[in-house]
Amino acid sequence: MRRAAQAESIEIPPPAVAALARSATGSFRDALGHARAVVTYSGPQIALEDVLAVLGVADAGCWRRP
């Protein structure tokens, strides 16, 4: 995901990459689809909150590291 984002000049922090990867449950194609949806939502600078909003995650606490 990081390499794909970098190739497209998309800034995405590691926690947001992790959230996309977890949501795709091992499918790179699904992760790319989710990433496209997030870019449509937020533009080329993605924050974790953008990913969570697009994924419809209600409890953001489970996606954050202490």
Side-chain angles (χ1 to χ4, degrees):
M1 284 302 307
R2 284 187 293 256
R3 282 187 270 159
Q6 185 178 25
E8 297 294 326
S9 299
I10 297 168
E11 295 180 30
I12 182 168
V17 171
L20 284 172
R22 286 185 195 133
S23 72
T25 61
S27 171
F28 186 62
R29 184 173 35 177
D30 287 351
L32 287 177
H34 294 168
R36 280 190 209 106
V38 175
V39 169
T40 299
Y41 174 81
S42 68
Q45 294 184 329
I46 297 173
L48 176 60
E49 290 73 21
D50 301 326
V51 173
L52 298 177
V54 170
L55 295 176
V57 176
D59 180 15
C62 66
W63 297 90
R64 298 180 191 275
R65 292 186 180 173

